[in-house]
Amino acid sequence: MAESVVLDPVDLHLLRLLQNDARTTYRDLAAQVGVAPSTCLDRVARLRRCGVILGHQLRLDPAKLGRGLEALLSVQVRPHRRELVGPFVERIRALPESRTVFHLTGPDDYLVHVAVADMTDLQRLVLDEFTAHREVARVETRLIFQQWDCGPLLPPATPTAESG
């Protein structure tokens, strides 16, 4: 289990701002947080080194890239042993259709979020890339009608926590 990192109110304020717009300049961040730009730069660099900031991502619209059908695939792997799990996960992660892979507890071992062109493409993916492999015992497919992003990971700011 990863160790948590001690964050002060300035760190939390920086993270809130960066979560909302990772392209904010250090000068603008520093002005909003009330520190010098060099201090801001040092703090963000420390947050990266500590692993609090994992990176920056460009989000693309799958539908505009010809992958307008998204689904969740619940997958059972049998036997569920380490020597099968590693190669399975790496194979699924390498598929261009795969968006996210979750390793689960319960009756299903994995939940895989995929984006495909259409139902024929989804059928091809399930049959050729999932159930064609001996270790995959079952795949259950759920289509995604709509999805919403949720709020930032950090809790909302309290006036006293960031005013000091």
Side-chain angles (χ1 to χ4, degrees), residues 2-8 11-12 46-47 49-52:
E3 288 184 32
S4 62
V5 176
V6 177
L7 303 172
D8 67 17
D11 293 330
L12 291 171
R46 182 183 62 81
L47 293 168
R49 279 192 314 275
C50 293
V52 174

Side-chain angles (χ1 to χ4, degrees), residues 6-45:
V6 177
L7 303 172
D8 67 17
V10 173
D11 293 330
L12 291 171
H13 195 174
L14 285 169
L15 291 171
R16 274 189 200 89
L17 293 168
L18 287 169
Q19 271 189 147
N20 292 326
D21 185 1
R23 297 178 300 169
T24 305
T25 66
Y26 288 114
R27 183 184 323 227
D28 290 343
L29 284 172
Q32 291 180 60
V33 175
V35 298
S38 60
T39 301
C40 182
L41 179 65
D42 290 344
R43 282 179 173 263
V44 172

